[in-house]
Every structure is written in structure tokens, then in C-alpha cells.
Amino acid sequence: MASTRKKQKFASIVRNELSRAESRDAHDVGANRASALAAYRLAPLEGDDSRLDNGQAIDQSADVADMVNACLAQMTPMLTTDCAIQFEPEGAQDEDSARAESQAVDNVIQSDNAGYVTFSTAFHDALLLRNGWTKVFVEDDIEVREMALEGDETAEEINILTTPKRPGEEREMINDGLGIRITTTRKKFRCCAVPTENITYNANEDSNDVDELRFIAERMILTRSELVEMGYSKREVYALNQTTDETNIQSRYRNKSSEETHIGETPDQEAIQCHECYLKVDMDNDGVAELYRVFTAGDEGQVCLGYERAELVPYATGSPFISPHRITGESLFDRLWQIQISKTKILRYSLDEMQKNTYGRFVVDETQTRMDDVLNWSGVIRSQNPTQAVIPVAQHNSDAQFQTALEYQDKLRSERGGAALDMQAAEMQIHGETAHGIERQVSLREMLTAMMARNLGETLVRRTYRLMHDFLRMYSNSPMEMKLNGEWQTVDPRQWRKRTRMNIKVGLSAGEKSRKTAALNQMIQMQIGMLTNGKDGILTDEGSLYNAMADWAYASDLDNPDSYLVNPASEQAMQTKQQRAQQGQQMQQIQMQLAQMQAKQLETAEKVKGEIELLKHRDEMAYKYWSDRLKSETEEAKVVAQSTTDLTKAQLQGEQRERAQQRGADEGAARNGGVTE
């Protein structure tokens, strides 16, 4: 009974809140968004039927649609950047954890949930409809299988078989102990864009924080089958009135067909309008309001199907132009709708005048002229008195005025909505002016687009990532396997701390990207010079150089810098450093051994040189000794020889004198008759 009374109370609160909620069709916000969708689709304006009947131009200017698409194209780098946010560490020991959590959250949003499509859709809604919305939630993926038993297992074996083997697994005996049912529950974390027209919240809240809203609800169209599958009472679900026509005018304007879309052929496929509501209310009478999730069904939430306490509001919103202290911001449509209407009028007037100048206008006497010839502009007008019955009317050429008026409206468009469209024609403008002058003009105008990207990043993207971090931290039932710095690692969200501080990487416009890549390239060259000149660890280091090169890669639209660079803090880099350090030590040892060998060889060489010098000295002394001795002996021999020669000569001379004397005596005796004295 108490539960029924609470359901009735919640249903009453929801009905009252929905009737007063902002962005409903009955309010200005809903009407504004319906007009924005019509302008984007170039829906016929009021009075177009009469213009068509009169043969006048019904062309429309597409400034709103063109500017929305151009701005979204400039924001694409923000949507395609890996790890669009970085959680800030809370100390030196927290840096690795913060980096891992950032990549884990980004992986879940971008890879598991097609983050590009989610944010692109939400950004498109924000640019056109003032606000874009995303939702983060968790689903249970339940897998059930059965395992048969032989019947002769021991109690110990049964205990082992019924013990869960992994997180999220439950095992129970079935079939009177002849089988085991294994139920595995895996948590799937979801992130999606929510149509802006499906979100309602209490009007004029003096805050731009979703968490501070008293009431917020999401409209859903679900079948009876889906509601029963969600666990709600079949009796209550099948008692609800079905929804056949789309009552939301904004949703109808999104459709390109007016066909009814909610008619089911069988009761289980009949559509029911539902609301998932988050509201703050004091249900336990303690004087403090608590946050509840209430699910209602039927028009304006007539029946409460269920309720539960909630820990947080799972929605995130953002706007390209923030309205201070309000959730609802401003859109490009708010800034450009008057320009589109004015340009449409100018365009139609110019086309009408061009048509009149081309075919001409005439004063015609119907009694003397074939009027069908006049009206079909075939070129020939049959008349009985052409000079007086058919008189041309002089036309005024206003092409110059129309062109001036259109250029003025384009100038207003750039001032109010940014330079997204102008930048598409910048290359053509450079032919007529200096590139530097055009760059300065476009840079000033594109600042408005950069501001819109920043606003959406700091509101919509920031809260979406924070919500996903909270959901992973609170509802994960097992660790996650992910690739960090090129290596597979295990991350357990259950061990994360609550984080609110983060840095947003917003997308860059063409001019900003060019300037940033040039500045980063210059910084990289400076860092390389510092490292080359021995300033490692003084002015820069390898980590700082890696960060600069990674930022350069991101600014150059290279999604994953780790595909081209190795993080100095990674295990691969550490192993390489260790290997190189070991190689360096080995080289030092080898060099020391070579130095020792060289010193020993030098010592040996010096010793050998000394011995050689000693031997040489000894040889020189011996040579001198023997040379002197030989010289003295030679001199002595010369003296002896000379003496011998002189003696021999003297002896010979003496002998010759004796023989001469004997010969003389003999001759004298002969002369004296042979008498010898």
C-alpha cells in the first residue's frame, strides 16, 4: 500500500513538473526549436503558396543550414581527436593512474560507443537548437548456460563446480542436483546522444549545472513488449493507452515524411509514451530532498511504473553560446534567422526582377491581343494593333543594389555566426589580396567558431567524460583490458578515485592548427638543439620532447602518436634504455680492457725500447772499442811494417853496397893481374 501511495505521489509530481517544464511545445523554447528545424530544412515560408500562384520565385537562402554544417566541419578535429580529455593527476604518484583512466574512459566512449557519431549529433543539435544532450548509462549483458552433472560427484567436486570462476558470474544447482546453471553478467557502459526535443526540465533554473536542476526528464517512445522486458508489470503496461500520432512538433519537423510512425499491428508492438525522470524530493520527511529516478508512462506521465534512489543525473548538455546562469543557451539559428529571412527576400526580389527583365512586362489591350501569347512568354504575341495594344513597360535594373544588400547580409552573418563559411572561400580571396592580410581577417573571424567549440567542450564533452568515469568507477564488476602506450595492460575501475579536474582538447580551426603546428615544430627543433648541446635534464628531457612531438601529431590530425613515437616512460623504452645502458657498460669494460692492454703494450714497448737502446749502446761501445783497437793495431801494424820495410831496405842497401864493393875489388884485382891485396 505504501508503495502504491508513493507511486501515485511521484506520478502527480511528474505531471505537474511536465506541465511547467521548459522546452515544451507550448513554451517559447519549443517554438524556437521548431522554427530552427524548419529553417534548417528550408521548409516553405508563410505566403509561399501565393507566390507560387503568381509565378514568383520561392527560393530560400540556406544561411542557417550552411553555417551549422560549416561550423560542425570545423569542429571535426575535436570529435576525431583521441583522448579528447585528460584527467589531471593529484600528485607525482598519480600521473600514471590519471593517464590510464583518461585513456580507459576515452576508449569506452569513442571505441565502444561510436563517440564521433554521439558528439557530432549532439553538437549539431546544439548549433541549431541551442542545446545538445548526451546520456551515459549502464546495461547488464546476461549470458546463461547450463552444465550437466554425472550424479556421482563428491561434495568437494560439487563445491568446486559451484564456485564462481570470474567476476559477475553466479552458479546454482538445478534439476535436483543433476546440473548447474551458470549466469554471467557483464556490464556494458553506454553513451548516446539524446534528441533535444525529448529533454524537459524545470524552467528558469538559476544555474547552468544539470546537477542543480530540481527536475529533468527524457521522453521515450517504447513498445509494450519493451516495457515488460524491462521488468515492469504486464498488467499495468497493457492498461496504458497507446500513442499513435507524434505529438511533439519538434520531432515532427525532424521527419521528412508526415506518415504516422507509432502504429503497432499487435498489442505487444503498440507504442507507449514514457518519461524517465530525475527529481529531487523529500519522501522520508527528514526535511532534505533526495534524488530519485522515476519512470512514468502515458501522456504527461499519468502512471508511475517504478522509482528508485539515484546517485547522479546521467545527462550532459552544452551550448555553443552560453547564457549565464541558465541551462538553455543560444544557437546559430538565434543569431542568423533574421539574416536568412532578409536574404531570402532579397534573393526572391532579385530573381523576380531578373524574370521580368528577361521576359519583359507589357500593357495589353485584351480586346485586340491574344492573352495566352502574352502569358506564356513564347516570344510571339499575336495582336491586331501591336503598336497600341501591346506596349512594353520599362524595367529598372537593381542588380547592383541586390548584390550590395547580399554582401552586407553576409558580413552580418560572419559577425554573428563566425567565419566558417568565409574560410571555405579564403583560397579564392587570396588571389585578390595578400595571403597575410586574408589570414589576419579570417583568424579574427574564426575566433567565434573556436569559442563555440570551447564552450561545447567545457560543458557537453567535459560532463560526458566525467559521467562515464563515475559510472565505470561505481558500476564495474571486473577489470578492463586495454592498450596503453602500445602495450596491453589491466585497469580496474573499481580502484579509481573520484575525479572532477580535467583538461579539454578542443578542436582547432585551420588557422589555429597552422599556427600551433608551426610553434610546436619550432619548439621541437629547439629541444633537439638543447639535447644535442648537453642540456638534457637542465632545460629539457626526452619526456618533454615526446610531449611536444605528440602534441604536434594531434594538431596535424594524426590520431595516434604512439603509432609513430615511443613514449620514454613506456616499458619498451625502459627496456631499450636498460639494454643500451648494459651495452654502454660492456663498451666501457671493453674500452677499459683495451686501455689496459694498450698500457701494457706501451709498457712492454718502452721496456723493449730501453733494452734496444741498451743493446745499441753496448753495440756502439763494443764497436768503438774494437774500432779503436783495430785502428791502434792498424797503426801499430803500419809502424811495424814501415820499420820492417825500412830495415829490409837498409839490409838490402847494405848488401848492395857490399856486393858493389866486392865487385869493385874483383875488378881491381883483375886489372892488377889477378893479384889481390
Side-chain angles (χ1 to χ4, degrees):
M1 182 66 67
S3 175
T4 302
R5 286 200 300 267
K6 281 190 175 182
K7 283 186 176 181
Q8 292 174 351
K9 183 175 181 180
F10 276 124
S12 176
I13 293 174
V14 169
R15 284 195 298 269
N16 293 333
E17 291 286 3
L18 287 175
S19 66
R20 296 189 300 265
E22 189 165 310
S23 81
R24 302 293 285 176
D25 291 342
H27 292 276
D28 293 338
V29 175
N32 172 275
R33 290 171 177 169
S35 299
L37 288 167
Y40 182 84
R41 289 185 52 202
L42 300 182
L45 301 179
E46 184 178 353
D48 284 352
D49 293 340
S50 61
R51 294 185 63 87
L52 183 62
D53 293 339
N54 295 329
Q56 296 174 298
I58 59 171
D59 300 67
Q60 288 184 231
S61 178
D63 296 85
V64 171
D66 291 344
M67 186 63 77
V68 167
N69 294 329
C71 288
L72 189 61
Q74 282 200 6
M75 295 177 185
T76 298
M78 180 180 182
L79 304 175
T80 56
T81 298
D82 282 350
C83 215
I85 63 96
Q86 290 286 344
F87 291 109
E88 293 185 2
E90 298 183 6
Q93 303 299 324
D94 190 39
E95 290 187 356
D96 291 340
S97 298
R99 186 181 303 109
E101 292 173 28
S102 301
Q103 295 188 18
V105 173
D106 185 77
N107 183 67
V108 172
I109 291 178
Q110 296 293 344
S111 300
D112 297 346
N113 289 280
Y116 172 80
V117 176
T118 297
F119 286 120
S120 179
T121 302
F123 278 25
H124 191 284
D125 280 349
L127 292 170
L128 181 62
L129 305 175
R130 297 182 174 176
N131 284 72
W133 291 84
T134 59
K135 180 182 181 181
V136 177
F137 56 100
V138 60
E139 291 179 343
D140 289 337
D141 183 15
I142 300 176
E143 177 186 355
V144 180
R145 60 188 180 92
E146 296 182 357
M147 180 174 62
L149 299 178
E150 298 294 335
D152 56 353
E153 289 82 3
T154 64
E156 183 178 357
E157 291 175 337
I158 293 295
N159 183 52
I160 294 175
L161 291 173
T162 55
T163 301
K165 302 297 188 294
R166 57 181 61 86
E169 183 179 272
E170 295 180 357
R171 298 190 175 207
E172 59 179 342
M173 299 293 296
I174 59 173
N175 299 332
D176 297 328
L178 296 179
I180 297 176
R181 179 183 291 118
I182 304 173
T183 304
T184 304
T185 303
R186 296 182 178 86
K187 298 293 185 180
K188 288 189 175 182
F189 295 90
R190 300 301 189 191
C191 175
C192 66
V194 181
T196 303
E197 65 271 15
N198 286 350
I199 296 292
T200 59
Y201 44 88
N202 55 291
N204 301 322
E205 182 69 28
D206 189 16
S207 173
N208 54 11
D209 188 350
V210 175
D211 286 328
E212 297 183 9
L213 289 174
R214 184 186 69 249
F215 172 83
I216 182 171
E218 177 188 358
R219 186 182 74 106
M220 303 176 179
I221 303 296
L222 301 174
T223 64
R224 299 187 195 274
S225 174
E226 290 173 330
L227 290 173
V228 173
E229 189 177 1
M230 292 168 63
Y232 297 116
S233 168
K234 179 181 178 181
R235 180 180 60 81
E236 291 182 318
V237 169
Y238 275 77
L240 296 169
N241 295 326
Q242 67 169 319
T243 297
T244 56
D245 296 330
E246 179 57 74
T247 59
N248 189 297
I249 187 174
Q250 302 169 50
S251 182
R252 291 205 305 270
Y253 268 114
R254 285 189 187 271
N255 300 328
K256 296 182 179 180
S257 171
S258 59
E259 294 294 327
E260 295 179 346
T261 58
H262 300 320
I263 297 179
E265 295 297 329
T266 58
D268 62 293
Q269 293 302 311
E270 291 176 345
I272 307 297
Q273 180 171 264
C274 306
H275 287 87
E276 180 180 350
C277 311
Y278 291 82
L279 57 102
K280 294 178 181 179
V281 61
D282 178 21
M283 298 296 291
D284 53 9
N285 296 321
D286 63 352
V288 178
E290 295 87 16
L291 181 65
Y292 283 86
R293 174 187 178 273
V294 180
F295 196 88
T296 65
D299 295 337
E300 302 301 327
Q302 61 186 9
V303 176
C304 175
L305 296 180
Y307 64 90
E308 60 184 339
R309 288 287 299 273
E311 297 187 48
L312 45 78
V313 179
Y315 300 101
T317 187
S319 177
F321 299 98
I322 297 175
S323 294
H325 314 297
R326 291 293 183 270
I327 289 290
T328 305
E330 296 181 12
S331 65
L332 284 173
F333 171 76
D334 293 330
R335 293 171 170 261
L336 301 179
W337 68 271
Q338 291 178 326
I339 294 174
Q340 177 160 323
I341 291 177
S342 297
K343 288 187 65 176
T344 296
K345 290 181 179 179
I346 296 172
L347 178 63
R348 290 180 174 182
Y349 290 158
S350 64
L351 292 175
D352 288 341
E353 183 174 291
M354 185 183 301
Q355 184 184 56
K356 293 172 184 177
N357 289 335
T358 301
Y359 296 107
R361 298 193 71 191
F362 304 91
V363 176
V364 180
D365 184 352
E366 297 185 38
T367 61
Q368 301 186 52
T369 307
R370 294 287 297 270
M371 290 304 299
D372 53 346
D373 290 347
V374 176
L375 296 177
N376 67 17
W377 298 325
S378 61
V380 176
I381 300 177
R382 290 169 289 183
S383 176
Q384 297 178 358
N385 188 3
T387 59
Q388 295 182 3
V390 181
I391 303 175
V393 177
Q395 298 294 318
H396 176 68
N397 192 330
S398 302
D399 290 346
Q401 290 87 337
F402 290 144
Q403 184 64 31
T404 301
L406 289 174
E407 291 176 355
Y408 174 72
Q409 294 296 327
D410 287 342
K411 180 176 179 296
L412 290 179
R413 182 188 63 194
S414 299
E415 292 175 351
R416 297 181 184 180
L421 285 174
D422 298 329
M423 291 181 65
Q424 295 180 357
E427 294 181 357
M428 298 300 295
Q429 297 173 19
I430 289 177
H431 292 295
E433 301 184 35
T434 64
H436 181 67
I438 292 298
E439 181 186 2
R440 290 194 61 185
Q441 293 179 28
V442 173
S443 297
L444 291 174
R445 293 176 180 176
E446 70 180 353
M447 291 176 65
L448 192 58
T449 305
M451 185 196 74
M452 288 187 280
R454 188 73 185 185
N455 287 342
L456 289 169
E458 292 291 344
T459 53
L460 179 64
V461 177
R462 175 186 289 273
R463 180 173 172 83
T464 302
Y465 273 78
R466 182 169 66 82
L467 283 173
M468 183 59 74
H469 185 276
D470 289 339
F471 269 79
L472 288 169
R473 180 174 54 85
M474 292 188 297
Y475 302 118
S476 292
N477 62 354
S478 63
M480 301 170 54
E481 294 291 332
M482 58 179 298
K483 203 169 187 178
L484 297 175
N485 299 324
E487 300 175 357
W488 286 98
Q489 299 182 21
T490 300
V491 178
D492 191 352
R494 295 171 295 183
Q495 305 299 323
W496 293 354
R497 66 179 67 184
K498 184 176 178 62
R499 296 188 186 275
T500 57
R501 299 171 54 193
M502 65 190 79
N503 293 320
I504 307 295
K505 294 182 179 179
V506 299
L508 301 176
S509 64
E512 290 176 321
K513 186 184 303 181
S514 177
R515 290 189 293 273
K516 185 171 184 178
T517 53
L520 285 171
N521 186 54
Q522 185 177 4
M523 176 58 68
I524 291 171
Q525 299 303 321
M526 292 171 61
Q527 289 176 317
I528 293 175
M530 295 174 192
L531 295 175
T532 305
N533 294 326
K535 301 298 182 181
D536 187 8
I538 301 175
L539 291 177
T540 188
D541 56 18
E542 294 177 347
S544 300
L545 178 60
Y546 168 82
N547 292 335
M549 297 178 72
D551 288 343
W552 179 88
Y554 281 126
S556 302
D557 293 337
L558 299 177
D559 291 340
N560 187 9
D562 289 332
S563 300
Y564 314 96
L565 304 172
V566 176
N567 191 334
S570 66
E571 184 177 351
Q572 176 185 351
M574 294 299 181
Q575 292 178 352
T576 302
K577 290 180 181 179
Q578 185 176 3
Q579 292 175 357
R580 291 184 178 179
Q582 294 175 353
Q583 293 175 356
Q585 292 177 356
Q586 294 175 357
M587 290 298 298
Q588 289 181 355
Q589 293 177 357
I590 293 173
Q591 290 176 356
M592 290 177 61
Q593 293 175 357
L594 289 174
Q596 292 175 356
M597 293 176 60
Q598 290 176 353
K600 190 173 182 179
Q601 291 175 353
L602 182 61
E603 181 181 357
T604 302
E606 291 294 334
K607 184 176 180 180
V608 172
K609 182 178 179 181
E611 292 177 354
I612 293 174
E613 291 294 334
L614 180 60
L615 291 173
K616 182 178 179 182
H617 179 67
R618 289 178 180 176
D619 291 343
E620 289 178 353
M621 294 298 294
Y623 174 78
K624 185 176 181 182
Y625 169 76
W626 291 107
S627 178
D628 292 345
R629 183 174 178 180
L630 180 60
K631 185 177 180 180
S632 61
E633 290 179 353
T634 302
E635 292 297 331
E636 183 180 0
K638 287 182 180 180
V639 173
V640 172
Q642 186 66 38
S643 300
T644 303
T645 301
D646 292 343
L647 179 60
T648 302
K649 184 178 179 180
Q651 291 177 350
L652 289 174
Q653 289 177 351
E655 290 177 357
Q656 287 178 355
R657 282 196 301 272
E658 289 179 358
R659 284 195 294 271
Q661 289 176 1
Q662 184 63 40
R663 206 170 35 248
D666 290 343
E667 288 178 355
R671 280 192 309 264
N672 292 326
V675 179
T676 304
E677 294 182 0

